[in-house]
């Protein structure tokens, strides 16, 4: 397990899937704001669920976010679109609604950056979030990410077109964290 100050990132356990499915995927609003694909119902136990992990994918590393105090599942984290040629990757974090606002997102981004830069070796890591997602924008910027513009009208979220904000962090800009 990779440990931060508040959360750990570990392999997805079978017991995590029903919790993450119910709290993240089955919440249509949450899913619509965090995934570019349209929401559709997924049967319990289906291998089509976004929270089921295919750990044979080289360009994708999925984690369960867990509270360090007790190991309770707190959400999901991904390093995705890992491009070994261009040495780049994307980060994604989704926390259970009841656990938001406790600093877990900032900590999860920090631990993902450690994993990405130290273990996988990209020169650049990127986050894309909706322009109205102040919490993720803050979590990214607290970890050194820089806003790189606005993608106007680029996301379709439940009948509304929203802007997205891409943020980037270069390896030399990252502050190494001895806690991870």
């Amino acid at each position: 397990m990779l440990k931060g100050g508040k959360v750990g990132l570990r392999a997805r356990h079978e017991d995590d899937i029903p919790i993450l499915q119910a709290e993240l995927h089955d919440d249509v609003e949450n899913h619509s704001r965090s995934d570019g694909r349209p929401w559709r119902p997924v049967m319990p136990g289906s291998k089509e669920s976004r929270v089921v992990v295919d750990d044979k994918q080289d360009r994708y590393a999925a984690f369960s976010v867990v509270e360090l105090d007790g190991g309770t599942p707190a959400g999901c984290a991904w390093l995705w679109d890992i491009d070994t040629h261009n040495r780049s990757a994307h980060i994604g974090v989704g926390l259970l609604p009841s656990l938001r606002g406790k600093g877990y997102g900032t900590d999860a981004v920090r631990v993902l950056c450690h994993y990405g830069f130290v273990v996988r070796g990209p020169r650049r890591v990127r986050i894309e979030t909706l322009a109205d997602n102040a919490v993720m924008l803050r979590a990214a910027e607290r970890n050194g990410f820089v806003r790189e513009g606005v993608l106007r009208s680029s996301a379709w979220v439940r009948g509304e077109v929203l802007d997205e904000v891409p943020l980037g962090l270069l390896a030399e800009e990252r502050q190494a964290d001895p806690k991870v």
Side-chain angles (χ1 to χ4, degrees):
M1 178 180 341
L2 300 168
K3 293 182 181 178
K6 297 181 178 203
V7 300
L9 302 183
R10 64 161 166 75
R12 182 84 29 90
H13 293 180
E14 198 67 35
D15 295 350
D16 298 345
I17 293 172
I19 296 165
L20 299 174
Q21 179 69 31
E23 295 283 332
L24 296 177
H25 178 82
D26 291 346
D27 177 344
V28 178
E29 179 70 26
N30 179 69
H31 180 274
S32 297
R33 295 181 58 75
S34 64
D35 194 321
R37 298 169 291 187
W39 181 87
R40 63 181 179 83
V42 175
M43 291 177 19
S46 171
K47 298 299 179 197
E48 294 294 314
S49 171
R50 183 178 141 192
V51 298
V52 173
V53 175
D54 177 0
D55 58 4
K56 293 172 183 60
Q57 290 284 332
D58 226 17
R59 292 177 50 102
Y60 181 81
F63 301 90
S64 284
V65 178
V66 296
E67 293 180 281
L68 285 181
D69 184 21
T72 305
C76 299
W78 307 269
L79 189 70
W80 58 279
D81 198 18
I82 302 167
D83 182 340
T84 56
H85 176 73
N86 292 306
R87 297 188 59 203
S88 64
H90 291 74
I91 283 178
V93 175
L95 296 177
L96 305 183
S98 63
L99 298 175
R100 294 175 187 158
K102 297 182 178 192
Y104 292 176
T106 298
D107 201 34
V109 169
R110 184 172 52 79
V111 177
L112 268 175
C113 285
H114 172 82
Y115 172 75
F117 286 117
V118 174
V119 177
R120 300 301 294 256
R123 297 278 314 132
R124 171 183 168 71
V125 174
R126 183 172 170 169
I127 293 174
E128 292 95 10
T129 190
L130 296 175
D132 65 354
N133 189 348
V135 174
M136 181 50 110
L137 290 168
R138 252 189 329 275
E141 289 171 338
R142 285 180 179 151
N143 281 289
F145 282 80
V146 175
R147 293 182 194 212
E148 297 180 327
V150 174
L151 303 172
R152 298 177 304 141
S153 296
S154 67
W156 179 254
V157 180
R158 296 189 51 144
E160 184 180 2
V161 179
L162 299 175
D163 295 344
E164 284 184 281
V165 177
L167 300 104
L169 179 64
L170 303 178
E172 61 269 17
E173 297 169 341
R174 178 180 167 263
Q175 296 178 358
D177 189 343
K179 295 179 198 170
V180 179

